[in-house]
Amino acid sequence: MSTPPQQPPSSPQQPPSSSAPQQSSPPPQQPDQPPATPPQPQQFQQPQPTAYPYPNPQSPPPQSPYAQPTLAGQPAAPQQANPYAAQPGYGYPPPAAPPTGGPNAAGRAVLWAAVGAVVASAAWAGGLFLTGGFGTSADLRGYRAPANLCSSADYSSFKDEYPVDDSSPTKNAMKDPALDESDCSLSLKKTSSSYGDAYLTMQVDLHKKTDPGPEFTATWKNYGDSHTDYDVTPVQGIGDEAYLVTQDTSNGSTTSGSRYATLAVRDGWMTYSMSYSAYLSTYDSDTDPPTVGDVTGWLKTDARSTLEQLKD
């Protein structure tokens, strides 16, 4: 059984003063307390690992629980993989494989590039051969554009109705590496007329650089769409394609309105047109002009004959 601790005296007695220093006595030991241990040197405290993947925004980022302290002059230990990092296969592409090397890698790349160039060149040359890219000549079918189309064209079907020749027809001709062209315009007269009762225009074009087919079809097949009150009729048996365009605004009258007809023909890269027009009035001496039906028949006959004469 322990005894209660002794209380120190309320007023300790002062020792007599002297010149020698006085030794202070240690405090009395408490009977129930263990003896004091000497202080130990401070050890390195390892941070405790945490399952929370993000650091506290108010504190510095946590150290890896397995990191080892580095000493001066020694390399740092390799970093451990982050256990929370996304692994390949979960929405992230795998790391790119390093390029294959070797002494023959560059040689194989050059060889395959050369083979590809040869194949591409062969395909390009074959395409040009099939499409006529190596300077294919124009498909002129042997036609020519004469310097004087008025004397080379046939319009004899109109002679019975208009027997008087035009003494000064208008003619033009042009030659160019891309296009040869020749045209003729003349007036048609009856015997009793002092002036022209009708007009006839002819034109031949030799397209030497481009195929006129698509534009020819678009122009004449759709002529009724771009011009009001014109009738368009395809004509078979003349060239590769032909269209007859007509208009009659006289409504059967011989003294008013007009009658118009054009036959447009394409044969290869040659185009030819032959047009008739008559303007009726009370001042004209022609009181019995031909009908549009008569004129279209004459155009077909003379166009066939003219195209034969324009071939070499």
Side-chain angles (χ1 to χ4, degrees):
M1 181 175 180
S2 61
T3 59
Q6 297 294 328
Q7 297 292 333
S10 58
S11 57
Q13 295 181 1
Q14 299 293 331
S17 62
S18 64
S19 60
Q22 298 294 326
Q23 299 291 334
S24 61
S25 61
Q29 295 286 339
Q30 299 294 330
D32 290 339
Q33 291 183 355
T37 59
Q40 300 295 329
Q42 185 176 1
Q43 296 181 355
F44 180 81
Q45 297 295 327
Q46 298 288 347
Q48 297 299 322
T50 175
Y52 188 65
Y54 300 103
N56 188 339
Q58 302 298 329
S59 62
Q63 298 290 333
S64 171
Y66 305 100
Q68 299 296 327
T70 59
L71 300 178
Q74 295 185 2
Q79 297 293 332
Q80 299 293 332
N82 186 358
Y84 302 102
Q87 301 298 323
Y90 292 89
Y92 295 87
T100 58
N104 297 327
R108 287 196 299 269
V110 173
L111 175 61
W112 280 113
V115 171
V118 171
V119 173
S121 299
W124 172 78
L128 288 179
F129 177 78
L130 294 176
T131 58
F134 285 113
T136 301
S137 59
D139 185 13
L140 299 179
R141 310 282 175 92
Y143 289 102
R144 60 185 177 88
N148 188 352
L149 184 59
C150 294
S151 60
S152 301
D154 182 11
Y155 53 96
S156 58
S157 296
F158 293 84
K159 292 295 186 178
D160 291 341
E161 187 73 23
Y162 304 101
V164 179
D165 292 334
D166 189 348
S167 59
S168 57
T170 302
K171 60 183 182 297
N172 296 285
M174 178 193 72
K175 289 188 178 296
D176 186 85
L179 176 68
D180 287 353
E181 183 178 271
S182 182
D183 62 71
C184 171
S185 298
L186 50 85
S187 60
L188 301 173
K189 294 181 183 180
K190 290 189 174 182
T191 305
S192 58
S193 299
S194 301
Y195 302 99
D197 298 307
Y199 300 91
L200 192 64
T201 301
M202 299 162 286
Q203 180 171 321
V204 58
D205 293 285
L206 304 182
H207 305 263
K208 298 185 290 184
K209 293 296 184 181
T210 56
D211 181 2
E215 292 185 3
F216 179 89
T217 304
T219 298
W220 293 105
K221 183 179 180 180
N222 304 310
Y223 196 90
D225 297 335
S226 57
H227 299 77
T228 306
D229 298 331
Y230 283 85
D231 297 325
V232 180
T233 305
V235 178
Q236 304 297 326
I238 306 179
D240 290 338
E241 60 178 325
Y243 297 94
L244 184 64
V245 179
T246 59
Q247 183 190 54
D248 186 356
T249 61
S250 65
N251 296 322
S253 173
T254 60
T255 59
S256 64
S258 63
R259 296 174 184 179
Y260 171 85
T262 293
L263 178 62
V265 181
R266 181 189 66 81
D267 194 10
W269 289 21
M270 184 279 306
T271 58
Y272 178 75
S273 62
M274 193 172 189
S275 301
Y276 167 90
S277 57
Y279 303 94
L280 311 177
S281 69
T282 56
Y283 299 100
D284 293 335
S285 56
D286 184 9
T287 59
D288 188 19
T291 65
V292 171
D294 294 335
V295 171
T296 57
W298 300 339
L299 291 175
K300 293 176 184 179
T301 300
D302 290 346
R304 288 189 180 96
S305 177
T306 299
L307 293 179
E308 289 296 329
Q309 295 181 22
L310 292 179
K311 286 188 176 181
D312 294 332

